[in-house]
Amino acid sequence: MLRVLPYLLVTGVWAPRQVFAQAALSVTPAYAVITHDRPYGAFVLSNRGTEGVEVTIGAHHGVIASTDSTTAVVLGEAGRLGDLSRYLTFFPERCILPAGGKQTVRYRIHEAPEGAHITLLHFAMQERGAIVDGQIPAVASGLRIVYNLVAPLIYLQGRGMPVLSARFLEGTPNELHLYLENHSRWPFLGGVRVIQNGWQLGSAEAAVYTTRVVRIPVAERPLRGPLQLKFDSNYTGLSLAIRHQLGVPDPIHLHWN
C-alpha cells in the first residue's frame, strides 16, 4: 500500500506542558550508497538532548519524492528501483539512548539481484513528556511525542545510467525551480547546472530516485530563449568508486519563456 508522509517528519501526540528536558536525535550519515563489493555499513544515532529516549528502527520500501508543490516520504513504491528491504538485515531494532549517548546501527545486504535497490531506514524516537506540578498522573503518563527520521539506503549491483526529463515550474529573481523525473532503474545523485549562451546561471545538488523538485540559486533570471541542463556526479558524501558506477545523464535542452 502506498503512503505519503512529510519529509523528515515529526509526528505524535502533543499537549501543552512545561519543558524541563529535551531530546534531540540525529542520524549520520544522512544517506548511504553501497555496492556488492562491500554490501554492509552502519548508521550512528546520537541523542544530543538532555533527556533519554527510546528509538525503534525499521526498514521500508520507499523513496523521497516530489510533486509540483511538496517533497515527501513515499512508502510502498520506488519507481523502477528495486525493494532493498527484502534483502536487508540490521541490528539493533530497538535501543535506549541516554542524554549524550550514541548507538551504531549495523546493516548488511544478502544476495540482492543486479540493478539499483533502495530502502528507507526509519528511526522513531519516543520522548515522554515531563510531568508538571499539579498535573493529573494518568494524563501526565499519557503524554508522548514521537519524532520520525528517515535515511535512504541504496544498493548498486552493476553499473547503470539514470535517464532524466525536466521542466521548469517557476522562477524568481534569485531562484529557478526545476521538476526532474527519473525514467530508469538507476538513481541520479549529482549536480545540476543551468547554462545559457555558454554561461552558467546557477547550480545545485540533487538526488532523484523518481521525481524531485530542485531549487537552483541564480544571480539573475535567464533571458527568454533556449537553456541547457548539464549533469555531473558531484554529490556531497558520494565516494569516487560509487560515482563510477552511476553514469551521468545526457544534457537536457529547455526553453525559457
Side-chain angles (χ1 to χ4, degrees):
M1 181 177 69
L2 184 148
R3 290 187 290 159
V4 179
L5 303 174
Y7 180 29
L8 294 183
L9 60 162
V10 179
T11 61
V13 178
W14 178 87
R17 63 182 176 91
Q18 182 179 352
V19 177
F20 293 97
Q22 184 179 16
L25 182 69
S26 65
V27 181
T28 54
Y31 76 97
V33 183
I34 59 175
T35 71
H36 66 285
D37 293 327
R38 190 176 180 183
Y40 52 85
F43 289 95
V44 177
L45 302 176
S46 300
N47 179 7
R48 296 174 287 104
T50 57
E51 182 176 317
V53 296
E54 174 186 346
V55 182
T56 303
I57 303 144
H60 305 285
H61 184 46
V63 291
I64 298 166
S66 300
T67 65
D68 286 4
S69 58
T70 62
T71 297
V73 173
V74 178
L75 301 180
E77 68 91 12
R80 298 187 181 184
L81 275 66
D83 180 1
L84 186 59
S85 62
R86 65 181 65 182
Y87 308 107
L88 171 71
T89 58
F90 61 88
F91 180 83
E93 297 182 354
R94 178 181 172 273
C95 63
I96 304 295
L97 280 179
K102 293 186 177 183
Q103 173 67 53
T104 298
V105 179
R106 304 187 186 279
Y107 58 82
R108 187 176 183 89
I109 311 303
H110 301 273
E111 300 180 352
E114 185 175 357
H117 309 267
I118 189 171
T119 192
L120 299 177
L121 266 295
H122 175 239
F123 307 93
M125 178 187 79
Q126 298 188 33
E127 172 194 2
R128 188 169 298 280
I131 298 176
V132 179
D133 290 342
Q135 194 173 49
I136 299 173
V139 174
S141 64
L143 298 180
R144 185 178 294 274
I145 300 175
V146 180
Y147 302 85
N148 295 279
L149 301 177
V150 295
L153 173 60
I154 301 104
Y155 173 81
L156 304 178
Q157 174 84 270
R159 188 177 189 275
M161 175 76 71
V163 178
L164 303 180
S165 63
R167 58 184 171 89
F168 284 109
L169 294 178
E170 60 179 335
T172 70
N174 301 313
E175 198 172 61
L176 297 179
H177 296 181
L178 286 170
Y179 184 83
L180 296 179
E181 186 170 359
N182 190 348
H183 304 277
S184 76
R185 56 187 294 202
W186 299 91
F188 170 72
L189 299 164
V192 185
R193 295 182 291 140
V194 180
I195 309 293
Q196 187 173 58
N197 297 326
W199 293 92
Q200 179 172 303
L201 301 181
S203 64
E205 290 184 352
V208 186
Y209 309 114
T210 54
T211 58
R212 180 60 66 91
V213 173
V214 182
R215 293 170 172 81
I216 300 182
V218 294
E220 58 185 26
R221 290 171 64 96
L223 302 174
R224 180 175 299 177
L227 287 169
Q228 187 180 56
L229 304 181
K230 288 188 175 181
F231 305 95
D232 59 50
S233 60
N234 298 323
Y235 192 80
T236 300
L238 197 65
S239 70
L240 187 60
I242 297 295
R243 294 178 190 179
H244 287 161
Q245 289 195 236
L246 291 174
V248 176
D250 294 331
I252 296 175
H253 298 275
L254 299 173
H255 193 276
W256 180 260
N257 296 318

